[in-house]
Amino acid sequence: MKTSKNNPRLKELAPRQRNPSGIGLVKDLEGEGKIDSESFLLNGFQATELARAIEEIKEMKKQKAFIFLGFTANLMATGLRGLVKELCKKKFVDAIVTTSGSIDHDAIRAFDDYEIASFNEDDEALHRKGINRIGNILVKTKSFEKLEAKMKPFLEKCYAEKKIWGPSELMKKLGTELDESSFLYWCAKNGIPVYCPGITDGAAFGLQLYFFKQKRKDFAIDVTADLKPMADAALNAEKTGAIILGGGITKHHIIGVNILRNGLDYAVYVSTAQEFDGSLSGAKPKEAKSWGKLKEKGKSVHVNCDATIAFPIIFYSLKDNGLL
Amino acid sequence: MKTSKNNPRLKELAPRQRNPSGIGLVKDLEGEGKIDSESFLLNGFQATELARAIEEIKEMKKQKAFIFLGFTANLMATGLRGLVKELCKKKFVDAIVTTSGSIDHDAIRAFDDYEIASFNEDDEALHRKGINRIGNILVKTKSFEKLEAKMKPFLEKCYAEKKIWGPSELMKKLGTELDESSFLYWCAKNGIPVYCPGITDGAAFGLQLYFFKQKRKDFAIDVTADLKPMADAALNAEKTGAIILGGGITKHHIIGVNILRNGLDYAVYVSTAQEFDGSLSGAKPKEAKSWGKLKEKGKSVHVNCDATIAFPIIFYSLKDNGLL
Amino acid sequence: MKTSKNNPRLKELAPRQRNPSGIGLVKDLEGEGKIDSESFLLNGFQATELARAIEEIKEMKKQKAFIFLGFTANLMATGLRGLVKELCKKKFVDAIVTTSGSIDHDAIRAFDDYEIASFNEDDEALHRKGINRIGNILVKTKSFEKLEAKMKPFLEKCYAEKKIWGPSELMKKLGTELDESSFLYWCAKNGIPVYCPGITDGAAFGLQLYFFKQKRKDFAIDVTADLKPMADAALNAEKTGAIILGGGITKHHIIGVNILRNGLDYAVYVSTAQEFDGSLSGAKPKEAKSWGKLKEKGKSVHVNCDATIAFPIIFYSLKDNGLL
Amino acid sequence: MKTSKNNPRLKELAPRQRNPSGIGLVKDLEGEGKIDSESFLLNGFQATELARAIEEIKEMKKQKAFIFLGFTANLMATGLRGLVKELCKKKFVDAIVTTSGSIDHDAIRAFDDYEIASFNEDDEALHRKGINRIGNILVKTKSFEKLEAKMKPFLEKCYAEKKIWGPSELMKKLGTELDESSFLYWCAKNGIPVYCPGITDGAAFGLQLYFFKQKRKDFAIDVTADLKPMADAALNAEKTGAIILGGGITKHHIIGVNILRNGLDYAVYVSTAQEFDGSLSGAKPKEAKSWGKLKEKGKSVHVNCDATIAFPIIFYSLKDNGLL
């Protein structure tokens, strides 16, 4: 069985292109290596998919695609808020789609702290202490109350201006009231629209609308107002791309609006949902092709990984490549 | 090692209650058995959780709880639409929360058919044939177009009536236009509100709002309008319960509104999402306790199973128990 | 939007066959329905896959295929032990492949009881009480000790007979010592071989081998001994089929041996594992085709569902069809 | 709502310790950041768990624990083979537990290449071309045949030496025949035992044993032979730790043998399996505590992530900390 200990294979491992699906040869990671797109591409399984995601995002930028960034609210409770903020500050993305909870977390974290804990906390005890849990992250009820207190004058100010608001108009106004740690601030400053199609569904911002509306019955949020700007963006772009962290309404809203232009040109999904239950959250990019949400020849990657691990790798790789 | 072949164990297997968590002894399923709550309870793993879900729903009804039923849109593309329709027809549930896609599927399937296929279809070929895929289910683009054609006069009729609508008002009006196979029809007939907090996010109903709004710029859907009736229902009920199939905005909206009453009394989740990514979709009922979305002493079950398998078992067990 | 309330669609819903992937039209489940292969087939998502699994097993039997049944050890801690026992008693299957833990559970449960609990037990407290947890099932350490006490004379008896044993020989001998509640008993009685390629890896049977070997150094279990009978079975069968509950060594061993005959003719997987991590446990049947573990034109189904829910549905459907 | 744009919070974010579960405050990732244990620890969700895994492995080494490294076979088809090789070369781990497929991949890749592809290959076409798929990695049947050709003289050489072998003896002998790219080579050289409790279950090494045994009927692999050295290692160590990538027999064998010493002191699981199905693969570390597989006060982390992404991060962090 003897094979040469100076195996020539060890020298020839530069990636070779092969058709149709071949990317290159699997290459053993080296002791003196690092986490980057190149080493991950030839590593296999999800490391490969993650590297492909990085390459696809580079391509989006090179092709000057209009980029939709979507993320679920839980991610704004994590350190990823800093990276999303950077993407907005640097105008790396052109539109944001997210849920109401993202607004809560982005705003609260501009003035208060969340805490790292474990997934196995005693939730009944936490409740008695006024602490709310999001996975292994804790938020004080008091933090929500502080935001709620700020919401009242904010909504009054909005109401004084006009009665009927589109969600992205409210987001823009809110952004101007937050500090530089906030992605909403930078979106407002840089003219990046923040679409929030399920704006009433949040623990702080959402429920405050209920209380505010009790007093101001003619205050309204017209969700149909955001359809035109979002559709126009999709229709006017030469190419569109999507970077979608997580699933739900965020994911669907981005790919859905792209039906109007016969599909996205690029789609990068980072998700832990599975396709076997027929859910939109778990649907792979290829399913989107049948709908015309992604072009038949559109490029796509699905990275199955928690975004708190995958997204920093993507972000810092883009930075190392001078794209950020 | 000889053990008696007339093992007395085989006779004494009736469930015994034990503290704190004990439900009974594991009991081998019998050749002459059937699928029911009793045999599943002592089977173990998710069969046990499914049986506990059935028992908890029985308890909700016994305690006359106000029941919120939530489901994701993909389920209205399946045979479960028939069971949801039955629950509404029999007034088994008191309010529905769902997404815009559910409206599309419920309406389209009142006049057109979906088809069973596989998860491995050639999506590019499907697209060329005008067929859209949802997991292993196919829908023709033509079916969507038929719905869109019906939407125009429907929205005109609405607009003629008034300019600003709440989502549940639209749902009620739409229900009266559908046939008896539709859950929206029975909700309208039986006064069961259908809340749809992300109403613009749908391929047919959602995108039609965009086209309609082009012509009728003062047409608006005020999502804040539904907060009061939904909150009132939660606040006025002596007890509330939730049956939630899937995750996303549907799940959060139901448990979120119950914060106002310091939590649900009962929560049954049927979901395939996992908690490790800190997502709301994957959060277990105990996480909801920290938020006051479920009472500290509220009863809850999380069944990890595709709803197309789990929900028929739940439904027919309730029926066998005379509850439907 | 009016559609006829006597929608003719409601009458014409008998399944129509369509090419290539079409099975029939989605059919709403009815209030007066039941859980069976017919209603599940047209339900969608995993219900459809489960129905297809039932149909495929019927076909295996019709074609008189040699059937390998595989399951992971945790399932022998559940009520499924009763159904597996029935399959062996009725000679529905021709060979069993499983892990060492299955032997422990099958043997212990012939004389002692397991208990249903929750997934959220206090494991440190359980340990102090001498209770071991398997998901939501509890087993007393004392139960393991009873088995261990029985193992010593059993192994002495084996050793007196000969020094080197194949795993399936040991399983057969053990079966004759158990009672009729045990699948090993029926396998021994009915000449169904039980292959256990990882026989030393178990908490009771496995670790007892360590203690026994201390005294009887020339006692040996030769795992290569089972390769020939298992290979012969695969090679001599006109057709082979596999019913595999769970993953790991059990799954691989069944599909691996079928390489020798250029693949299984039928494969039914019931599993919750996913394919994104490149694991054998999560690999779909189509991956097995590349290896020649499943024939290119072999029939296969993958049901993504906990076996405690899926397998009783499969079993009782086969029974309703007179196959058991 | 105005909050200071020079929010002092941004300066005070150094982690503060809090009881009982608090690790520190969530800290936004910075534009100028990098992937390391420190930034991941305060990121949240699985990034936090991954950082905790790194910290726990550092602690294992500091405490001079005897470290068991386990991994499933698929990972030896990826670039992780290079990192595992490094761990063995640097004697970072004290024992390996793995499956038969790992031997195949480690040996084949010493003389032949695997290729990166996609998860959506046409498996029937691959089969016709003599290519086997493992997730998104391809292996030629010819590569397996080359190994099989080498196996025959190797087994003859073994047989000439003695008739009955323990799995780890065979692994050691095999290692001396491979080149420096192989982990088996370094294990043999450095006296690190490689335990393979399911040694017959592999496509190349496993099935070759079947052919070899046809001619040499008295050749045997006695799996009970490895129980004593493995148990002795566990019993003699002052502290033991486990790093387990994936599940199945690999995972169980490591934690199972530690029952003999009343549990591991440290356990790091990297896995994508879930606990809801009661499987050993999906069981969290806390379940192991009930069994005495992990000490009641043993430290443990479960990282839910594909190992191709998580393990390089762990490895290079240990290296950055001078531990490798």
Side-chain angles (χ1 to χ4, degrees), chain B residues 117-137:
Chain B
S118 92
F119 282 90
N120 293 312
E121 300 292 321
D122 176 341
D123 290 296
E124 297 181 29
L126 287 180
H127 184 244
R128 286 189 295 269
K129 286 189 251 175
I131 297 174
N132 309 287
R133 185 168 69 84
I134 305 162
N136 58 2
I137 292 177

Side-chain angles (χ1 to χ4, degrees), chain D residues 99-112:
Chain D
T99 61
S100 189
S102 287
I103 302 161
D104 291 355
H105 297 316
D106 189 51
I108 293 174
R109 292 185 59 208
F111 56 81
D112 228 342

Side-chain angles (χ1 to χ4, degrees), chain A residues 16 19 24 29 58 61 77 100 167 183 234 239 266 290 308 317:
Chain A
R16 290 188 260 136
N19 283 321
L29 288 163
K58 283 191 213 166
K61 287 310 282 185
S100 190
F183 82 87
K239 300 206 173 206
Y266 306 96
S290 73
T308 59
S317 291

Side-chain angles (χ1 to χ4, degrees), chain A residues 165-167 196-199 221-227, chain B residues 197 199-200 221-223:
Chain A
W165 288 74
C196 189
I199 194 166
I221 299 182
D222 173 21
V223 279
T224 68
D226 276 356
L227 291 170
Chain B
I199 193 166
T200 58
I221 299 182
D222 174 20
V223 280

Side-chain angles (χ1 to χ4, degrees), chain A residues 257-270:
Chain A
V257 80
N258 278 279
I259 290 178
L260 295 170
R261 57 174 277 117
N262 299 317
L264 285 154
D265 296 277
Y266 306 96
V268 170
Y269 296 175
V270 177

Side-chain angles (χ1 to χ4, degrees), chain D residues 205-270:
Chain D
F205 193 89
L207 284 181
Q208 277 314 301
L209 294 169
Y210 161 65
F211 292 114
F212 185 73
K213 178 111 174 168
Q214 307 269 53
K215 294 182 304 178
R216 307 294 195 184
K217 295 205 191 323
D218 56 350
F219 176 81
I221 299 182
D222 173 20
V223 280
T224 68
D226 276 356
L227 292 170
K228 187 172 156 49
M230 199 174 164
D232 285 353
L235 287 165
N236 295 335
E238 212 153 303
K239 301 208 172 204
T240 60
I243 303 169
I244 304 175
L245 313 179
I249 192 172
T250 294
K251 178 181 176 184
H252 188 259
H253 210 57
I254 293 176
I255 63 179
V257 79
N258 278 278
I259 290 178
L260 294 171
R261 57 174 279 118
N262 299 316
L264 285 154
D265 296 276
Y266 306 96
V268 170
Y269 295 176
V270 177

Side-chain angles (χ1 to χ4, degrees), chain D residues 65-198:
Chain D
F66 182 97
I67 300 181
F68 293 92
L69 172 67
F71 45 84
T72 48
N74 58 331
L75 298 177
M76 285 310 96
T78 73
L80 295 199
R81 177 176 175 260
L83 302 185
V84 167
K85 181 262 290 174
E86 282 292 302
L87 293 177
C88 297
K89 186 175 175 181
K90 301 275 175 66
K91 302 187 196 181
F92 190 89
V93 296
D94 300 292
I96 299 278
V97 180
T98 192
T99 61
S100 189
S102 287
I103 302 161
D104 291 355
H105 297 316
D106 189 51
I108 293 174
R109 292 185 59 208
F111 56 81
D112 228 342
D113 285 321
Y114 285 22
E115 190 176 349
I116 299 286
S118 91
F119 283 90
N120 292 312
E121 301 291 320
D122 177 341
D123 290 296
E124 297 181 31
L126 287 181
H127 184 244
R128 286 190 294 270
K129 286 189 251 175
I131 297 174
N132 309 287
R133 186 168 67 83
I134 306 163
N136 58 2
I137 292 177
L138 305 181
V139 198
K140 290 190 280 288
T141 299
K142 216 161 261 179
S143 300
F144 276 95
E145 289 167 357
K146 284 186 209 169
L147 174 62
E148 286 157 14
K150 290 169 197 281
M151 284 295 297
K152 282 172 207 174
F154 169 72
L155 289 172
E156 282 297 351
K157 207 173 351 173
C158 296
Y159 181 75
E161 207 174 308
K162 61 176 183 169
K163 306 285 163 53
I164 304 180
W165 287 75
S168 66
E169 291 173 311
L170 272 180
M171 292 304 95
K172 185 172 183 173
K173 190 154 188 77
L174 184 60
T176 60
E177 309 247 343
L178 297 170
D179 78 358
E180 294 174 2
S181 75
S182 149
F183 82 86
L184 284 169
Y185 169 88
W186 288 104
C187 285
K189 191 174 173 85
N190 286 336
I192 300 168
V194 177
Y195 299 114
C196 189

